[in-house]
Amino acid sequence: MIERKNTTGPSSTGITSHTKTNVQLIPPRGHIQVGDIIKYRIQTRDSEGRDRVIGGDFWYATLNSNNPRASTAGYVADYNNGTYEVTLLAAWAGQAEFKLILVHPSEAVDCFRNVIWPAKERVQWNGYFNHKGKKAERTTCFLRSGGPWTGLCQYPAHHALGKTILVCQKPKGLSCDDFTSYNTDWDKCNQKLAELTKGVEYLFKGPNFMQPVSIEKNKKIQIDAGFLPPLNDLPRCLPDQDIPAVQGYWLNGKWHSMLCRIPDFPKDMLHKCLRDKKVILHGDSTIGQWYKDFNSYRSLYYFHPERVGSDIYGRKDMKYEVDVLDKLTTLDCQTYIIVLSPWAHFTVWTSESFIERTALIRNAVLRLRKRCPNILIVIKGPHPRHYPHISSHLLFSDFLSKEMIGNTLRDGFKGTGAFYLPLWDMNLAHPAKNSVHMPHAVIVQELNMFLGYVCDNLATVGNQK
């Protein structure tokens, strides 16, 4: 987690260097014990060893151990003057190693925020048109929120997307009504990205991307036995709650959440909790991983339209979040639990389009809340999914996922009674390499958090009746 503080003037130094940046452990009082807060100070420097005087760099910070098998993610406070402070929890006894990765220097972050994220038509699809199986054509499709419309087939969904419209170049000899399916045109996407980053490509590769920072002293620390307050003492999980600096830790294959009190229900209790329920899962393939684990429960899975991928997708195979929510009636109030996960494909949308889409989903949630005041709704947050190729990590940027998509979702559903489930730190801290589809061990722990929240709240509602 990264927090930025204060502001200063511009920097006259070069880009942050992962080899020259200085990292120091802030001396603790006595030995480090379980339950202590550990802090590291970062002074960024450029390749000439000069102190940087502005912030904005994007970091990954973790504390890791092989014996026991344990890890946790650090909270990075950005003082916007070239210095940062990392906060970690000593959650286990034994030796631990601090790892710090410079994901992006601030110059790359500024490019994401001010050039790439606002750029229109970054994602382009191949649109397939077919008339009664006898004639087929392919054209280019993209999203547009304003004209011109000449020569374009328009497929508006104003109730779900607002003024953003999926459009396709008109096929020769076929009608706009013959549009049947689509898949991503990666060549056109890469061409667009090359245009946007022309002259600054170096910011997104080599020594300026995903580089481990050299730590000369106190990279490895010893944690002595101590006391960590029981997780059962945490407050109950509620909508609009604050997200703590330290969200939890992995220990021997299990995620111990410090977000709020998430009861660890036995399987028979989980079956009882969901016995008369249906879980609606709407989003991307990361929520599809959840769906595979709901085999023993009744669930419905919807993949959102305008998905990004090489496979060819039928236009009529997918439904918008708004459509699914608005079809639920008062008769469904006691039946359904809702999970929305609109993140993995939306780093290719403009900020304006994604914010508007989120606002329309929010309105649908509020309409559902009027019909079903106690219905449980969970918003599943994003997680890191590092890609090694420049085109992939420009399209599916971790920075955009966390700072733009994640913050928009968290803020966008405040006041709706929906519970925002942050999963970034859990995934970042796991020893497996970050990817869009994390190992099953991570999915199990994500589901444990979800089910702990759901079953605890269902039990509370039941006791109030």
Side-chain angles (χ1 to χ4, degrees), residues 286 343 383-387 427 432-439:
T286 66
W343 72 270
H383 67 252
R385 50 170 179 176
H386 164 55
Y387 288 100
N427 282 261
K433 184 177 180 180
N434 292 133
S435 67
V436 66
H437 298 131
M438 291 294 285

Side-chain angles (χ1 to χ4, degrees), residues 58-316:
F58 188 54
W59 308 89
Y60 288 161
T62 58
L63 195 66
N64 309 271
S65 170
N66 291 324
N67 185 23
R69 291 185 300 120
S71 54
T72 187
Y75 175 88
V76 183
D78 181 354
Y79 291 98
N80 212 24
N81 60 3
T83 65
Y84 303 78
E85 188 174 271
V86 183
T87 300
L88 305 121
L89 176 68
W92 62 88
Q95 193 175 70
E97 181 178 350
F98 177 55
K99 295 181 180 179
L100 181 67
I101 293 176
L102 176 62
V103 183
H104 294 298
S106 63
E107 290 80 1
V109 168
D110 288 341
C111 187
F112 273 123
R113 181 180 283 114
N114 300 315
V115 178
I116 296 175
W117 179 242
K120 299 177 181 179
E121 300 172 17
R122 276 184 291 127
V123 60
Q124 300 193 33
W125 292 277
N126 296 306
Y128 299 95
F129 294 75
N130 190 291
H131 184 70
K132 298 182 179 180
K134 297 179 181 179
K135 186 177 182 180
E137 287 191 28
R138 184 182 72 183
T139 71
T140 297
C141 304
F142 43 88
L143 298 170
R144 181 169 285 183
S145 56
W149 308 110
T150 305
L152 298 175
C153 297
Q154 301 174 45
Y155 306 99
H158 297 305
H159 67 299
L161 304 183
K163 60 179 177 293
T164 299
I165 298 175
L166 176 67
V167 298
C168 298
Q169 295 172 347
K170 287 184 177 179
K172 297 179 180 179
L174 290 178
S175 166
C176 291
D177 295 334
D178 294 324
F179 182 32
T180 60
S181 55
Y182 62 92
N183 69 344
T184 303
D185 188 329
W186 297 112
D187 289 339
K188 284 189 171 64
C189 292
N190 292 338
Q191 181 180 350
K192 180 69 173 180
L193 288 171
E195 295 172 0
L196 292 172
T197 58
K198 186 177 181 180
V200 293
E201 302 93 337
Y202 64 92
L203 291 175
F204 305 99
K205 57 186 178 182
N208 298 318
F209 175 65
M210 288 296 292
Q211 293 299 317
V213 178
S214 302
I215 302 175
E216 296 181 0
K217 296 181 180 179
N218 297 311
K219 181 178 182 179
K220 294 183 178 181
I221 58 174
Q222 181 65 35
I223 303 174
D224 296 335
F227 175 75
L228 197 61
L231 297 180
N232 287 337
D233 291 346
L234 292 170
R236 286 188 61 244
C237 298
L238 296 171
D240 300 339
Q241 67 182 27
D242 292 333
I243 298 176
V246 178
Q247 296 180 26
Y249 57 94
W250 288 94
L251 182 60
N252 295 326
K254 181 179 179 180
W255 176 254
H256 299 264
S257 175
M258 303 184 71
L259 177 67
C260 49
R261 190 183 76 230
I262 298 179
D264 190 7
F265 289 101
K267 285 188 176 181
D268 59 334
M269 288 291 291
L270 292 177
H271 281 275
K272 183 179 179 180
C273 156
L274 299 179
R275 183 174 55 197
D276 300 320
K277 298 291 181 181
K278 289 183 180 179
V279 181
I280 293 178
L281 303 162
H282 194 296
D284 48 50
S285 57
T286 66
I287 203 69
Q289 289 182 277
W290 281 27
Y291 177 67
K292 293 178 181 178
D293 272 45
F294 273 103
N295 290 335
S296 57
Y297 309 118
R298 292 183 295 171
S299 58
L300 302 171
Y301 170 42
Y302 300 96
F303 207 121
H304 61 71
E306 290 88 42
R307 63 195 288 184
V308 180
S310 299
D311 293 340
I312 297 177
Y313 310 112
R315 280 193 62 234
K316 298 180 180 180

Side-chain angles (χ1 to χ4, degrees), residues 371-393:
R371 302 191 298 276
C372 304
N374 294 322
I375 194 167
L376 293 179
I377 303 172
V378 174
I379 310 299
K380 176 178 172 287
H383 67 252
R385 50 170 179 176
H386 164 55
Y387 288 100
H389 306 295
I390 182 171
S391 59
S392 297
H393 74 247

